[in-house]
RNA sequence: GCCGGAUUAGCACAGGGGUAGUGCAGCGGUUUUGUAAACCGAAGGUCGCGGGUUCGAAUCCUGCAUCCGGCACCA
């Protein structure tokens, strides 16, 4: 007999060979039905897997949403694979994990058949529902490695056969069998799974898209055909998720950017942004705001060249480690004759800067620096070009030309922690000013490909860690996490991840502690001892890039910017043409008060104007008709406001709006 | 870069071997209007670019470009 301890403190004696399902049944039929899996001494397991000794047991039900979703999603992946092999014999199976909102499975299509397409999805969904309807038991079996390999090789499943040989020695190798018949479907899987396919709600999932994916994530491997699905505990959750996706699509910065006439992208300059007047107003406000913050924080703004000689990039190390991301330009006059190539091919090469750091060291290196000059904080709105793979480009979020709010702090070892802490405070202020109350901080540790000694990396990593710890921000509240292998080639990074209005996260700010570049480019200062010393260089940015940050702001606010950032802050709209002159006077007063105001005198009904300016997301609409013109008032209507409108004198309105439009740092 | 899909008027979209359609916007007119779409009219397109098949191609084939969804990449 085994002693099974339950969460309520009671202990049940169960015979050997009994399972958590037996315990659930003994407690009551309701629980037996609701129980999806078992948590044995903290580890989630199949509910039908027999106890192996005394145990602490918690039954997992749909109330344990996180565990239940993970189980259900994993099951759906399994059923997807079974369905695909039923429908498309010869398709090889590979991997199929649960994801944040569902699952996917990677397949190698049968010979002669191409990858899956969207048209296949409804057919596969139907087959999945049939498998659920058949309520096939999912049975865990422990196999010998060699038997698994032999079986898969016989079946032509070469990916699974390859994978099983690489599983760790210590782990038991388990296969899951669905169905009882001899034709039952088998998959190599760590589990756990639900007891049977009938536990799933056939209306709680949807196959969403197809994609290519490299086998084991390596571009040198064959490309597999991936099918994604989203899966939930019930239809209501699924529908809610689909609504969330629609809401997110409505916020898409590319769509809003077009609707609000903020910017455009076109093939002739793919990956670079054409900013329109409205979009660039947002940029200018952000830039002015950042300059005020930077000035107050003791930075000095500089501007450095776009093009530098390739030899400079060799010295900095970018030529070796980063060249494939750079735009290279021959330093010669192009041939203008009809005959012959445009460039000779043997001129010296220059490159557009992909980063600002080397140029900032060159500025630092001018003249002799004393320890008294440190910390020296050099800031630049640095315009960079990166030769990104075409498939990576995405609206404002991933572009080939962008402007960083970049700065480099040259300091001594003793100053690092304080500088990093000051930066944490500055970043916190900026994010909150811009409407992001929630963000996470993560530490990206040394990558495999890197410059510098392990001792330096040890130091750099612990300095960054210490600064966040002593700032009290290395906590769960700040999503503190360390990410091995994700640092830059020259330095570890602290990363700031913003959470937006609908819960998505975006990596924006960073600070990196670098001992490599100052060394490679021979930066030094004279210490108190009269000798030369290497400064440490802290690379840091808060927005990351203006382009991407504005993209994030657009999605965060769904285009409804706070007043100080709104490209058009107010529109004065007339009801009758008799009010035209008065409307012009009001608009002039607003403009004189620094408000970005448009005036709408068109021969349209006020309904039409209200609708149009509301859709254009203008924060304030001042409606003036005959009455307002006579009384010197305006009817002020706020975007998305519950209250319909407030009538006040034009002067009051101007004063109020002037106050509301002040940027957060000037309030 | 890789896999799949898409590209038709300023925007959103329909059509699918016989020579191009709807709605909105824009333009002209009527209407002077009170808080989310007044009415009428005329106009607007080398159907992404190149090559091929065909009596005839926006439509079929092919190459390229860009975009979209993923993969890989992301200092």
């Amino acid at each position: 007999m085994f002693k099974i301890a339950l969460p309520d403190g009671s202990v049940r004696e169960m015979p050997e060979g009994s399972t958590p399902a037996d315990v659930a049944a003994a407690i009551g039929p309701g629980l037996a039905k609701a129980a999806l899996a078992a948590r044995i001494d903290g580890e989630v397991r199949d509910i039908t897997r027999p106890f192996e000794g005394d145990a602490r047991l918690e039954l997992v039900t749909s109330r344990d949403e996180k565990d239940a979703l993970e189980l259900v999603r994993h099951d759906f992946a399994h059923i997807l694979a079974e369905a695909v092999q039923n429908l498309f014999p010869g398709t090889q199976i590979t991997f199929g994990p649960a994801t944040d909102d569902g699952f996917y499975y990677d397949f190698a299509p049968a010979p002669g058949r191409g990858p899956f397409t969207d048209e296949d999805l409804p057919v596969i969904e139907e087959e999945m529902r049939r498998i659920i309807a058949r309520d096939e038991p999912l049975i865990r079996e422990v196999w010998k490695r060699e038997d698994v390999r032999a079986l898969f090789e016989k079946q032509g499943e070469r990916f699974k056969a390859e994978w099983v040989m690489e599983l760790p020695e210590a782990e038991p190798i388990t296969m899951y069998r669905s169905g009882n018949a001899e034709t039952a479907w088998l998959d190599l899987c760590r589990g756990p799974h639900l007891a049977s396919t009938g536990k799933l709600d056939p209306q709680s999932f949807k196959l969403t898209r197809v994609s290519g994916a490299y086998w084991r994530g390596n571009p040198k491997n064959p490309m597999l055909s991936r099918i994604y699905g989203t899966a939930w505990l019930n239809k209501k959750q699924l529908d809610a998720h689909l609504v969330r996706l629609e809401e997110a699509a409505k916020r898409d910065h590319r769509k809003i950017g077009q609707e609000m006439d903020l910017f455009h992208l076109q093939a002739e300059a793919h990956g670079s942004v054409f900013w329109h007047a409205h979009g660039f107003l947002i940029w200018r406000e952000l830039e002015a705001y950042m300059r005020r913050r930077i000035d107050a924080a003791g930075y000095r703004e500089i501007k450095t060249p776009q093009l530098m000689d390739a030899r400079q990039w060799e010295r900095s190390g970018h030529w070796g480690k980063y060249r494939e991301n750079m735009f290279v330009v021959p330093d010669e006059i192009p041939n203008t004759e009809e005959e012959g190539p445009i460039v000779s091919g043997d001129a010296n090469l220059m490159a557009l800067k992909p980063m600002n750091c080397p140029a900032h060291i060159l500025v630092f290196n001018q003249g002799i620096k004393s320890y008294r000059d440190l910390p020296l904080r050099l800031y630049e709105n640095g315009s960079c070009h990166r030769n990104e793979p075409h498939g990576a480009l995405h609206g404002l979020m991933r572009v080939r030309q962008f402007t960083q709010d970049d700065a480099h702090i040259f300091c001594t070892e003793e100053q690092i922690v304080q500088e990093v802490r000051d930066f944490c405070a500055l970043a916190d202020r900026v994010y909150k000013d811009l409407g992001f109350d929630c963000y996470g901080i993560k530490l990206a540790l040394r990558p495999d490909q890197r410059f510098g000694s392990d001792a330096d990396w040890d130091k750099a990593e612990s300095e960054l860690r210490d600064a966040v710890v002593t700032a009290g921000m290395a906590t769960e509240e700040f999503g503190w996490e360390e990410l091995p292998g994700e640092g830059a080639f020259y330095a570890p990074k602290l990363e700031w991840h913003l959470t937006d209005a609908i819960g998505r996260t975006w990596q924006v700010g960073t600070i990196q502690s670098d001992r490599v570049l100052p060394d490679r480019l021979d930066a030094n200062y004279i210490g108190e001892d009269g000798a030369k010393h290497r400064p440490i260089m802290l690379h840091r940015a808060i927005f990351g890039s203006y382009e991407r940050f504005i993209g994030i702001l657009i999605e965060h606010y769904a285009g409804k910017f706070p007043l100080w950032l709104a490209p058009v802050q107010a529109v004065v709209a007339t009801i009758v043409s008799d009010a035209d002159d008065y409307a012009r006077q009001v608009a002039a007063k607003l403009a004189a008060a620094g408000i970005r105001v448009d005036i709408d005198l068109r021969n349209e009904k006020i309904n039409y104007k209200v609708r149009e300016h509301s859709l254009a997301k203008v924060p304030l609409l001042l409606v003036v008709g005959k009455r307002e013109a006579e009384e010197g008032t305006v009817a002020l209507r706020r975007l998305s406001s519950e209250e319909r409108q407030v009538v006040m004198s034009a002067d009051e309105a101007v004063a109020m709006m002037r106050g509301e439009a002040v940027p957060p740092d000037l309030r």
Side-chain angles (χ1 to χ4, degrees):
Chain A
M1 295 291 260
F2 293 141
K3 288 194 178 64
I4 307 302
L6 297 171
D8 66 359
S10 67
V11 175
R12 281 181 186 256
E13 300 257 332
M14 297 299 291
E16 276 190 46
S18 62
T19 68
D22 298 330
V23 176
I27 295 172
L31 186 59
K33 193 157 176 256
L36 300 173
R39 190 175 271 282
I40 306 288
D41 299 324
E43 181 198 351
V44 179
R45 289 191 185 172
D46 301 319
I47 198 163
T48 53
R49 178 167 161 191
F51 295 111
E52 285 153 11
D54 293 347
R56 198 158 42 80
L57 167 69
E58 297 160 74
L59 290 161
V60 177
T61 69
S62 58
R63 287 190 179 184
D64 309 298
E65 190 152 300
K66 194 162 166 275
D67 287 333
L69 278 171
E70 168 103 25
L71 278 159
V72 159
R73 287 167 180 165
H74 187 189
D75 275 33
F76 272 115
H78 188 87
I79 290 174
L80 166 61
E82 184 177 345
V84 163
Q85 288 205 316
N86 288 348
L87 293 169
F88 308 99
T91 306
Q92 292 185 66
I93 49 176
T94 67
F95 275 128
T99 63
D100 286 346
D101 69 353
F103 58 94
Y104 66 80
Y105 208 107
D106 287 347
F107 301 95
R113 199 184 183 283
F116 295 104
T117 67
D118 287 334
E119 280 100 68
D120 296 322
L121 299 183
V123 183
I124 298 170
E125 274 184 14
E126 250 178 75
E127 177 64 14
M128 288 172 70
R129 294 207 172 88
R130 277 195 290 271
I131 292 169
I132 294 169
R134 282 203 293 271
D135 195 14
E136 295 176 357
L138 293 163
I139 300 155
R140 177 178 185 271
E141 299 175 359
V142 178
W143 282 49
K144 287 207 183 75
R145 185 189 304 270
E146 199 43 50
D147 292 346
V148 175
R149 192 184 66 83
L151 174 77
F152 281 134
E153 288 207 335
K154 191 174 132 225
Q155 294 178 341
E157 297 280 3
R158 64 185 183 85
F159 294 97
K160 282 285 190 188
E162 176 187 325
W163 181 242
V164 71
M165 300 315 287
E166 296 181 31
L167 288 176
E169 290 289 336
E171 270 183 46
I173 292 175
T174 55
M175 298 277 271
Y176 276 78
R177 179 185 296 276
S178 20
N180 294 314
E182 283 176 13
T183 54
W185 189 78
L186 274 164
D187 190 10
L188 173 68
C189 178
R190 191 194 303 151
H193 279 293
L194 302 184
S196 71
T197 60
K199 292 272 182 189
L200 296 169
D201 178 346
Q203 301 305 322
S204 72
F205 82 101
K206 184 174 162 51
L207 298 183
T208 48
R209 52 184 174 249
V210 293
S211 149
Y214 300 111
W215 166 238
R216 304 178 72 171
N218 187 338
K220 289 183 183 136
N221 288 340
M223 177 146 287
L224 304 171
S225 180
R226 176 174 295 180
I227 297 178
Y228 281 95
T230 181
W232 301 83
L233 296 179
N234 51 55
K235 180 160 175 14
K236 202 173 148 201
Q237 283 185 354
L238 171 66
D239 290 343
H241 177 69
L242 296 177
V243 168
R244 277 199 298 278
L245 290 184
E246 277 172 39
E247 292 302 317
K250 280 185 204 157
R251 289 172 179 261
D252 191 312
H253 71 282
R254 295 164 299 188
K255 180 170 153 22
I256 291 177
Q258 168 142 277
E259 287 166 357
M260 294 179 70
D261 194 18
L262 303 179
F263 63 89
H264 87 271
L265 298 156
Q266 67 179 63
E268 288 73 8
H270 67 282
S272 300
V273 184
F274 293 80
W275 285 101
H276 297 191
H278 283 173
F280 205 61
L281 279 166
I282 301 170
W283 181 304
R284 295 196 335 175
E285 282 295 336
L286 280 178
E287 197 175 60
Y289 165 83
M290 186 54 89
R291 282 211 168 96
R292 293 191 300 268
R293 284 286 183 215
I294 286 296
D295 287 349
Y299 289 76
R300 295 205 257 172
E301 184 171 354
I302 60 173
K303 199 77 182 170
T304 63
Q306 289 300 311
L307 271 174
M308 286 203 293
D309 199 289
R311 280 164 295 194
Q312 176 60 34
W313 297 112
E314 276 167 34
R315 279 192 286 273
S316 70
H318 290 79
W319 204 247
K321 290 261 192 284
Y322 207 69
R323 189 170 62 211
E324 63 180 9
N325 288 293
M326 292 166 70
F327 287 101
V328 172
V329 181
D331 183 12
E332 65 179 328
I333 310 288
N335 172 32
T336 54
E337 304 296 324
E338 299 240 336
E339 301 295 316
I342 292 167
V343 292
S344 67
D346 38 55
N348 280 337
L349 295 177
M350 304 188 79
L352 287 164
K353 66 174 170 185
M355 300 181 199
N356 306 299
C357 30
H360 286 200
I361 296 192
L362 298 186
V363 172
F364 178 87
N365 282 353
Q366 291 296 302
I368 295 170
K369 295 292 180 296
S370 142
Y371 69 95
R372 290 199 187 91
D373 295 320
L374 307 186
L376 182 66
R377 309 183 189 91
L378 299 179
Y379 176 87
E380 178 172 5
N381 283 318
S383 178
C384 297
H385 287 81
R386 291 187 192 174
N387 205 340
E388 302 283 2
H390 290 194
L393 301 177
H394 178 91
L396 297 180
M397 301 305 188
R398 192 79 181 272
V399 288
R400 304 212 293 180
Q401 184 195 154
F402 55 94
T403 303
Q404 294 178 313
D405 64 315
D406 199 8
H408 296 91
I409 301 170
F410 296 86
C411 65
T412 65
E413 292 215 8
E414 296 70 41
Q415 292 168 331
I416 294 175
V417 170
Q418 188 58 45
E419 286 301 314
V420 175
R421 289 188 57 169
D422 288 352
F423 176 74
C424 289
L426 180 63
D428 180 81
R429 190 63 264 153
V430 170
Y431 296 141
K432 289 191 169 139
D433 280 348
L434 286 156
F436 298 97
D437 294 326
C438 183
Y439 59 83
I441 306 179
K442 302 183 193 300
L443 177 59
L445 304 170
R446 67 194 79 184
D448 294 339
Q449 280 248 342
R450 60 178 182 262
F451 285 139
S453 69
D454 284 355
D456 280 351
W457 279 88
D458 288 342
K459 265 196 260 177
E461 287 171 356
S462 62
E463 284 152 4
L464 294 182
R465 187 183 294 116
D466 289 352
V468 182
V469 168
T470 61
M473 289 167 130
T475 63
E476 204 168 312
E477 183 199 342
F478 287 100
W480 175 251
E481 200 182 345
E482 302 200 1
L483 309 168
E486 299 205 5
F489 67 79
Y490 51 78
K493 302 192 287 183
L494 283 173
E495 302 175 346
W496 272 253
H497 296 250
L498 294 185
T499 302
D500 75 6
I502 56 173
R504 297 171 302 182
T505 59
W506 305 90
Q507 199 216 303
V508 284
T510 179
I511 187 164
Q512 305 159 12
S513 144
D514 179 6
R515 286 154 213 271
V516 173
L517 266 186
D519 202 45
R520 290 185 72 95
L521 298 182
D522 195 28
N524 51 61
Y525 65 93
I526 309 299
E528 254 175 299
D529 56 3
K532 276 189 183 178
H533 298 274
R534 281 275 178 256
I536 308 289
M537 185 187 198
L538 303 174
H539 306 240
R540 43 107 295 158
I542 295 178
F543 294 154
S545 90
Y546 279 82
E547 284 81 356
R548 185 156 180 278
F549 198 80
I550 292 172
I552 294 167
L553 281 175
I554 293 170
E555 303 214 353
H556 178 60
Y557 286 115
K560 296 175 184 172
F561 292 99
L563 194 58
W564 72 284
L565 286 174
V568 178
Q569 295 172 313
V571 168
V572 181
T574 52
I575 296 170
V576 292
S577 51
D578 287 348
D580 285 1
D581 284 342
Y582 178 64
R584 285 192 194 95
Q585 289 167 27
V586 173
K589 279 184 187 175
L590 285 166
I595 301 293
R596 294 186 287 268
V597 60
D598 278 352
I599 183 161
D600 185 353
L601 306 179
R602 289 176 305 170
N603 178 11
E604 297 287 355
K605 291 198 180 232
I606 193 62
N607 289 302
Y608 183 89
K609 295 184 182 180
V610 166
R611 177 181 152 83
E612 193 163 87
H613 299 302
S614 299
L615 290 175
K617 302 178 174 73
V618 175
L620 297 165
L621 186 60
L622 289 84
V623 178
V624 297
K626 214 168 166 188
R627 200 184 319 150
E628 287 76 11
E630 281 163 5
E631 295 171 0
T633 57
V634 296
L636 182 73
R637 187 190 159 107
R638 284 174 192 273
L639 182 63
S640 323
S641 166
E642 292 298 315
E643 61 181 317
R644 197 155 126 184
Q645 66 176 355
V646 181
V647 178
M648 61 178 77
S649 82
D651 291 334
E652 277 177 313
V654 171
M656 192 190 76
M657 287 162 65
R658 192 212 295 260
E660 285 184 27
V662 172
D665 61 309
L666 297 179
R667 278 177 202 151

